[in-house]
Amino acid sequence: LTARPGTPYPFLLFALVGGVWADRLPRHRVMLASDVVRGVLQAAIAALLLSGTAKVWHLVVLMGLFGIADAFFTPAATGLMPLVVSPHRLQEANALRGFTFSTGVVIGPVLAGAAMDWFGKDALFPTGGAAVVLVLAVWIVLNGKRPAVETQCSDAGARAA
């Protein structure tokens, strides 16, 4: 998207705020809320593009909001890693997370371009929406299964402030 370069600026502006929220609130809830917001924003972008009414400023604003939501998700996800991985495997887990993210950044657009060529752009938007719904369903199922350590860390962070 043309608006994608506008995403890092809101992320940079809001990453500190997102990090504070991720330390004070249960991380899984911050991640879930961020995913819901990002899903709604993706749906709005899809609706604008499919209806043919999208303007560049629409995409810039929506992608800016996406960057803000991402600024809350990323610190929560990063802070969750030490709670679910043993300390002696943390370096490996962080390396694997970084590798998969970087691989997705490179391969994702290639696969999306090929899929758009094969199936058309109109088929990709419902697929992206289904992926968001799937992620939300997994979060809901796992909601009651979070580690007790996270609750203790969130409580300790709230007491420290």
Side-chain angles (χ1 to χ4, degrees):
L1 283 174
T2 305
R4 183 67 181 158
T7 304
Y9 304 113
F11 181 91
L12 290 173
L13 290 172
F14 285 89
L16 289 175
V17 175
V20 169
W21 280 50
D23 285 342
R24 306 238 187 261
L25 300 172
R27 288 177 180 90
H28 74 286
R29 292 194 191 272
V30 173
M31 293 169 68
L32 179 60
S34 297
D35 271 346
V36 168
V37 169
R38 293 187 304 181
V40 168
L41 292 169
Q42 285 179 330
I45 290 169
L48 287 169
L49 290 173
L50 291 174
S51 69
T53 59
K55 304 273 189 260
V56 172
W57 73 268
H58 292 140
L59 301 177
V60 170
V61 168
L62 291 171
M63 289 307 295
L65 293 172
F66 190 95
I68 292 171
D70 204 31
F72 285 80
F73 183 91
T74 301
T78 302
L80 196 60
M81 186 69 76
L83 300 177
V84 295
V85 176
S86 62
H88 71 280
R89 306 283 314 255
L90 186 58
Q91 186 175 7
E92 294 172 31
N94 282 328
L96 181 60
R97 183 173 181 259
F99 173 75
T100 55
F101 177 80
S102 298
T103 302
V105 167
V106 173
I107 293 176
V110 172
L111 294 176
M116 190 168 12
D117 186 47
W118 292 331
F119 304 113
K121 71 176 183 349
D122 295 345
L124 293 185
F125 289 118
T127 304
V132 170
V133 170
L134 178 65
V135 167
L136 292 176
V138 169
W139 277 115
I140 290 168
V141 168
L142 294 177
N143 187 26
K145 298 180 182 178
R146 72 179 196 272
V149 177
E150 180 183 347
T151 304
Q152 294 168 357
C153 289
S154 296
D155 294 342
R159 284 193 299 269

Coordinates of all heavy atoms in Angstrom, one line a residue, residues 15-80:
A15 N 4.9 3.9 21.0 CA 5.5 2.7 21.5 C 5.8 2.8 23.0 O 5.6 1.8 23.7 CB 6.8 2.4 20.7
L16 N 6.2 3.9 23.5 CA 6.5 4.1 24.9 C 5.2 4.0 25.7 O 5.1 3.3 26.7 CB 7.2 5.4 25.2 CG 8.6 5.5 24.8 CD1 9.1 6.9 25.1 CD2 9.5 4.5 25.5
V17 N 4.1 4.6 25.2 CA 2.8 4.5 25.8 C 2.3 3.0 25.8 O 1.8 2.5 26.8 CB 1.8 5.4 25.2 CG1 0.4 5.2 25.7 CG2 2.2 6.9 25.3
G18 N 2.5 2.4 24.7 CA 2.1 1.0 24.5 C 2.9 0.1 25.5 O 2.3 -0.8 26.1
G19 N 4.2 0.4 25.7 CA 5.0 -0.4 26.6 C 4.5 -0.2 28.0 O 4.5 -1.2 28.8
V20 N 4.1 1.0 28.4 CA 3.6 1.2 29.8 C 2.3 0.5 30.0 O 2.2 -0.2 31.0 CB 3.4 2.7 30.0 CG1 2.7 3.0 31.3 CG2 4.8 3.5 30.1
W21 N 1.4 0.5 29.0 CA 0.2 -0.2 29.1 C 0.4 -1.7 29.2 O -0.2 -2.4 29.9 CB -0.7 0.1 28.0 CG -1.5 1.4 28.1 CD1 -0.9 2.6 28.5 CD2 -2.9 1.6 27.9 NE1 -1.9 3.6 28.5 CE2 -3.1 3.0 28.2 CE3 -3.9 0.8 27.6 CZ2 -4.4 3.5 28.1 CZ3 -5.2 1.4 27.5 CH2 -5.4 2.7 27.7
A22 N 1.4 -2.2 28.4 CA 1.7 -3.6 28.4 C 2.3 -4.1 29.7 O 2.1 -5.2 30.2 CB 2.7 -4.0 27.3
D23 N 3.0 -3.2 30.4 CA 3.5 -3.5 31.8 C 2.4 -3.4 32.9 O 2.5 -4.1 33.9 CB 4.7 -2.6 32.1 CG 5.9 -2.9 31.4 OD1 6.0 -4.0 30.9 OD2 6.8 -2.0 31.3
R24 N 1.5 -2.6 32.7 CA 0.5 -2.3 33.7 C -0.8 -3.2 33.6 O -1.5 -3.4 34.6 CB 0.0 -0.9 33.7 CG 1.2 0.1 33.8 CD 1.1 1.0 35.0 NE 2.1 2.0 35.0 CZ 3.2 2.0 35.7 NH1 3.4 0.9 36.4 NH2 4.1 2.9 35.6
L25 N -1.1 -3.6 32.4 CA -2.3 -4.4 32.2 C -1.9 -5.8 31.8 O -0.8 -6.1 31.3 CB -3.1 -3.8 31.1 CG -3.6 -2.4 31.3 CD1 -4.3 -1.8 30.1 CD2 -4.6 -2.3 32.5
P26 N -2.8 -6.8 31.9 CA -2.5 -8.1 31.4 C -2.1 -8.1 29.9 O -2.9 -7.5 29.1 CB -3.8 -8.9 31.6 CG -4.5 -8.2 32.7 CD -4.1 -6.7 32.5
R27 N -1.0 -8.6 29.6 CA -0.5 -8.5 28.2 C -1.4 -9.1 27.2 O -1.6 -8.6 26.1 CB 0.9 -9.1 28.1 CG 2.0 -8.3 28.8 CD 3.3 -8.9 28.8 NE 4.3 -8.1 29.5 CZ 4.6 -8.2 30.8 NH1 3.9 -9.0 31.5 NH2 5.5 -7.4 31.3
H28 N -2.0 -10.2 27.5 CA -2.9 -10.9 26.5 C -4.1 -10.0 26.2 O -4.6 -10.0 25.1 CB -3.3 -12.3 27.0 CG -4.3 -12.2 28.1 ND1 -4.0 -11.9 29.4 CD2 -5.6 -12.5 28.1 CE1 -5.1 -12.0 30.2 NE2 -6.1 -12.3 29.4
R29 N -4.5 -9.2 27.2 CA -5.7 -8.3 26.9 C -5.3 -7.1 26.0 O -6.0 -6.7 25.1 CB -6.3 -7.8 28.2 CG -7.0 -8.9 29.0 CD -7.9 -8.3 30.1 NE -8.3 -9.3 30.9 CZ -9.4 -10.1 30.8 NH1 -10.1 -9.9 29.7 NH2 -9.8 -11.0 31.6
V30 N -4.1 -6.6 26.2 CA -3.5 -5.6 25.4 C -3.4 -6.1 23.9 O -3.8 -5.4 23.0 CB -2.2 -5.0 25.9 CG1 -1.6 -4.0 24.9 CG2 -2.4 -4.4 27.3
M31 N -2.9 -7.3 23.8 CA -2.7 -7.9 22.5 C -4.1 -8.1 21.8 O -4.2 -7.9 20.6 CB -1.9 -9.2 22.6 CG -0.5 -9.0 23.0 SD 0.4 -10.5 23.5 CE 0.5 -11.3 21.9
L32 N -5.0 -8.6 22.6 CA -6.3 -8.9 22.0 C -7.0 -7.6 21.6 O -7.5 -7.5 20.4 CB -7.2 -9.6 23.1 CG -8.6 -9.9 22.6 CD1 -8.7 -10.8 21.4 CD2 -9.4 -10.5 23.8
A33 N -6.9 -6.6 22.4 CA -7.5 -5.3 22.0 C -6.8 -4.7 20.8 O -7.5 -4.2 19.8 CB -7.4 -4.3 23.2
S34 N -5.5 -4.8 20.7 CA -4.8 -4.4 19.5 C -5.2 -5.1 18.3 O -5.4 -4.5 17.2 CB -3.3 -4.5 19.7 OG -2.9 -3.7 20.8
D35 N -5.4 -6.4 18.4 CA -5.8 -7.3 17.3 C -7.2 -6.9 16.8 O -7.5 -6.8 15.6 CB -5.7 -8.7 17.6 CG -4.4 -9.4 17.3 OD1 -3.6 -8.7 16.6 OD2 -4.1 -10.5 17.7
V36 N -8.1 -6.6 17.7 CA -9.5 -6.2 17.4 C -9.4 -4.9 16.6 O -10.0 -4.8 15.5 CB -10.4 -6.1 18.6 CG1 -11.7 -5.4 18.3 CG2 -10.6 -7.5 19.2
V37 N -8.6 -3.9 17.1 CA -8.5 -2.6 16.4 C -7.9 -2.8 15.0 O -8.4 -2.3 14.0 CB -7.7 -1.6 17.3 CG1 -7.3 -0.4 16.5 CG2 -8.5 -1.3 18.5
R38 N -6.9 -3.6 14.9 CA -6.2 -3.8 13.6 C -7.2 -4.5 12.7 O -7.2 -4.2 11.5 CB -4.9 -4.6 13.8 CG -3.9 -3.7 14.5 CD -2.5 -4.3 14.6 NE -2.5 -5.7 15.2 CZ -1.4 -6.4 15.4 NH1 -0.2 -5.9 15.0 NH2 -1.4 -7.6 15.9
G39 N -7.9 -5.5 13.2 CA -8.9 -6.2 12.3 C -10.0 -5.2 11.8 O -10.3 -5.3 10.6
V40 N -10.5 -4.3 12.6 CA -11.5 -3.3 12.2 C -10.9 -2.4 11.2 O -11.5 -2.1 10.2 CB -12.0 -2.6 13.4 CG1 -12.8 -1.3 13.0 CG2 -12.8 -3.5 14.3
L41 N -9.6 -2.0 11.4 CA -9.0 -1.1 10.4 C -8.8 -1.8 9.1 O -9.0 -1.2 8.0 CB -7.6 -0.6 11.0 CG -7.8 0.3 12.2 CD1 -6.4 0.5 12.8 CD2 -8.4 1.6 11.8
Q42 N -8.4 -3.1 9.1 CA -8.2 -3.8 7.9 C -9.5 -4.0 7.2 O -9.6 -3.9 5.9 CB -7.6 -5.2 8.2 CG -6.2 -5.2 8.5 CD -5.6 -6.6 8.8 OE1 -6.3 -7.5 9.2 NE2 -4.3 -6.8 8.5
A43 N -10.6 -4.2 7.9 CA -11.9 -4.3 7.3 C -12.3 -3.0 6.7 O -12.9 -2.9 5.6 CB -13.0 -4.7 8.3
A44 N -12.0 -1.9 7.3 CA -12.3 -0.5 6.8 C -11.5 -0.3 5.5 O -12.1 0.2 4.5 CB -12.0 0.6 7.8
I45 N -10.3 -0.7 5.5 CA -9.5 -0.5 4.3 C -10.0 -1.4 3.2 O -10.1 -0.9 2.0 CB -8.0 -0.8 4.6 CG1 -7.4 0.2 5.5 CG2 -7.2 -1.0 3.3 CD1 -6.0 -0.1 6.0
A46 N -10.4 -2.6 3.5 CA -10.9 -3.5 2.5 C -12.2 -2.9 1.9 O -12.4 -2.9 0.7 CB -11.2 -4.9 3.1
A47 N -13.1 -2.4 2.8 CA -14.4 -1.9 2.3 C -14.1 -0.7 1.4 O -14.8 -0.5 0.3 CB -15.2 -1.5 3.5
L48 N -13.2 0.2 1.7 CA -12.9 1.4 0.9 C -12.3 1.0 -0.4 O -12.7 1.5 -1.5 CB -11.9 2.3 1.6 CG -12.5 3.1 2.8 CD1 -11.4 3.8 3.6 CD2 -13.5 4.2 2.3
L49 N -11.4 0.0 -0.4 CA -10.8 -0.4 -1.7 C -11.7 -1.1 -2.6 O -11.8 -0.9 -3.8 CB -9.5 -1.2 -1.4 CG -8.3 -0.5 -0.8 CD1 -7.2 -1.5 -0.4 CD2 -7.8 0.5 -1.8
L50 N -12.5 -2.0 -2.0 CA -13.5 -2.8 -2.8 C -14.6 -2.0 -3.4 O -15.1 -2.3 -4.4 CB -14.0 -4.0 -2.0 CG -13.0 -5.1 -1.7 CD1 -13.6 -6.2 -0.8 CD2 -12.5 -5.8 -3.0
S51 N -15.0 -1.0 -2.6 CA -16.1 -0.1 -3.1 C -15.5 1.0 -4.1 O -16.3 1.6 -4.7 CB -16.7 0.6 -1.9 OG -15.8 1.6 -1.3
G52 N -14.2 1.1 -4.2 CA -13.7 2.0 -5.1 C -13.7 3.5 -4.6 O -13.5 4.4 -5.4
T53 N -14.0 3.7 -3.3 CA -14.1 5.0 -2.8 C -12.8 5.4 -2.0 O -12.8 6.5 -1.4 CB -15.3 5.1 -1.9 OG1 -15.2 4.2 -0.8 CG2 -16.6 4.9 -2.6
A54 N -11.8 4.6 -2.0 CA -10.6 4.9 -1.2 C -9.8 6.1 -1.8 O -9.6 6.2 -3.0 CB -9.7 3.7 -1.1
K55 N -9.4 7.0 -0.9 CA -8.6 8.1 -1.2 C -7.3 7.9 -0.5 O -7.2 7.1 0.5 CB -9.2 9.4 -0.8 CG -10.6 9.7 -1.3 CD -10.5 10.3 -2.7 CE -11.9 10.8 -3.1 NZ -12.5 10.0 -4.1
V56 N -6.2 8.5 -1.0 CA -4.9 8.3 -0.3 C -5.0 8.7 1.1 O -4.4 8.0 2.0 CB -3.8 9.1 -1.1 CG1 -2.5 9.0 -0.3 CG2 -3.6 8.5 -2.5
W57 N -5.6 9.8 1.4 CA -5.7 10.2 2.8 C -6.4 9.2 3.7 O -6.1 9.1 4.9 CB -6.3 11.6 2.9 CG -7.7 11.8 2.7 CD1 -8.4 12.0 1.6 CD2 -8.7 11.6 3.7 NE1 -9.7 12.1 1.8 CE2 -10.0 11.8 3.1 CE3 -8.7 11.4 5.1 CZ2 -11.2 11.7 3.8 CZ3 -9.9 11.3 5.8 CH2 -11.2 11.5 5.1
H58 N -7.4 8.5 3.2 CA -8.1 7.5 3.9 C -7.1 6.4 4.4 O -7.0 6.0 5.5 CB -9.2 6.8 3.1 CG -10.4 7.6 2.8 ND1 -11.0 7.6 1.5 CD2 -11.1 8.5 3.5 CE1 -12.0 8.4 1.5 NE2 -12.1 9.0 2.7
L59 N -6.3 6.0 3.4 CA -5.3 4.9 3.6 C -4.2 5.4 4.6 O -3.8 4.6 5.5 CB -4.7 4.4 2.3 CG -5.7 3.9 1.3 CD1 -5.0 3.5 0.0 CD2 -6.5 2.7 1.9
V60 N -3.8 6.6 4.5 CA -2.7 7.1 5.4 C -3.3 7.2 6.8 O -2.6 6.8 7.7 CB -2.3 8.5 4.9 CG1 -1.4 9.2 5.9 CG2 -1.5 8.4 3.6
V61 N -4.5 7.7 7.0 CA -5.1 7.8 8.3 C -5.3 6.4 8.9 O -4.9 6.1 10.1 CB -6.4 8.6 8.3 CG1 -7.1 8.5 9.6 CG2 -6.1 10.1 8.0
L62 N -5.9 5.5 8.1 CA -6.1 4.2 8.6 C -4.8 3.4 9.0 O -4.7 2.7 10.0 CB -7.0 3.4 7.7 CG -8.4 3.9 7.5 CD1 -9.1 3.2 6.4 CD2 -9.2 3.7 8.9
M63 N -3.8 3.6 8.1 CA -2.5 2.9 8.4 C -1.8 3.6 9.6 O -1.1 2.9 10.3 CB -1.6 2.9 7.2 CG -2.1 2.0 6.1 SD -2.4 0.3 6.6 CE -0.8 -0.2 7.1
G64 N -2.0 4.9 9.8 CA -1.5 5.5 11.0 C -2.1 4.9 12.2 O -1.4 4.7 13.2
L65 N -3.4 4.8 12.2 CA -4.1 4.1 13.3 C -3.6 2.7 13.5 O -3.5 2.2 14.7 CB -5.6 4.2 13.1 CG -6.2 5.6 13.2 CD1 -7.7 5.5 12.7 CD2 -6.1 6.2 14.5
F66 N -3.4 2.0 12.4 CA -2.8 0.6 12.5 C -1.5 0.7 13.2 O -1.2 -0.2 14.0 CB -2.7 0.1 11.1 CG -2.4 -1.4 11.1 CD1 -3.4 -2.3 10.9 CD2 -1.1 -1.9 11.1 CE1 -3.1 -3.7 10.9 CE2 -0.8 -3.2 11.1 CZ -1.8 -4.1 11.0
G67 N -0.7 1.7 12.9 CA 0.6 1.8 13.5 C 0.5 2.0 15.0 O 1.3 1.5 15.8
I68 N -0.5 2.8 15.4 CA -0.7 3.0 16.9 C -1.1 1.7 17.5 O -0.6 1.4 18.6 CB -1.8 4.1 17.1 CG1 -1.3 5.5 16.6 CG2 -2.2 4.2 18.5 CD1 -2.3 6.6 16.5
A69 N -2.1 1.0 16.9 CA -2.5 -0.3 17.5 C -1.3 -1.3 17.6 O -1.1 -2.0 18.6 CB -3.6 -0.9 16.7
D70 N -0.4 -1.2 16.6 CA 0.8 -2.1 16.6 C 1.7 -1.6 17.7 O 2.5 -2.5 18.3 CB 1.5 -2.0 15.2 CG 2.3 -3.2 14.9 OD1 2.0 -4.3 15.4 OD2 3.3 -3.0 14.2
A71 N 1.8 -0.4 18.0 CA 2.6 0.1 19.1 C 2.2 -0.4 20.5 O 3.0 -0.4 21.4 CB 2.6 1.7 19.1
F72 N 1.0 -0.8 20.6 CA 0.5 -1.5 21.8 C 0.8 -3.0 21.8 O 1.1 -3.6 22.8 CB -1.0 -1.2 22.1 CG -1.2 0.2 22.6 CD1 -1.2 1.3 21.7 CD2 -1.4 0.5 23.9 CE1 -1.4 2.6 22.1 CE2 -1.6 1.8 24.4 CZ -1.6 2.9 23.4
F73 N 0.6 -3.6 20.6 CA 0.7 -5.0 20.5 C 2.2 -5.5 20.7 O 2.4 -6.4 21.4 CB 0.2 -5.5 19.1 CG 0.3 -7.0 18.9 CD1 -0.8 -7.8 19.2 CD2 1.4 -7.6 18.4 CE1 -0.8 -9.1 19.1 CE2 1.5 -8.9 18.2 CZ 0.4 -9.7 18.6
T74 N 3.1 -4.8 20.0 CA 4.5 -5.2 20.0 C 5.1 -5.3 21.4 O 5.7 -6.3 21.7 CB 5.3 -4.4 19.0 OG1 4.7 -4.5 17.7 CG2 6.7 -4.8 19.0
P75 N 5.0 -4.3 22.2 CA 5.6 -4.4 23.6 C 5.0 -5.5 24.4 O 5.6 -6.2 25.2 CB 5.4 -3.0 24.2 CG 5.1 -2.1 23.1 CD 4.5 -2.9 22.0
A76 N 3.6 -5.7 24.2 CA 3.0 -6.7 25.0 C 3.5 -8.1 24.6 O 3.7 -9.0 25.4 CB 1.5 -6.6 24.8
A77 N 3.6 -8.3 23.3 CA 4.1 -9.6 22.7 C 5.5 -9.8 23.2 O 5.9 -10.9 23.5 CB 4.0 -9.6 21.2
T78 N 6.4 -8.8 23.1 CA 7.8 -8.9 23.5 C 7.9 -9.2 25.0 O 8.7 -10.0 25.4 CB 8.5 -7.6 23.2 OG1 8.4 -7.4 21.8 CG2 10.0 -7.7 23.5
G79 N 7.1 -8.5 25.8 CA 7.1 -8.8 27.2 C 6.5 -10.1 27.7 O 6.8 -10.6 28.8
L80 N 5.8 -10.7 26.8 CA 5.2 -12.0 27.1 C 6.2 -13.2 26.9 O 6.1 -14.2 27.6 CB 4.0 -12.3 26.2 CG 3.0 -13.3 26.6 CD1 2.4 -13.1 28.0 CD2 1.9 -13.4 25.5

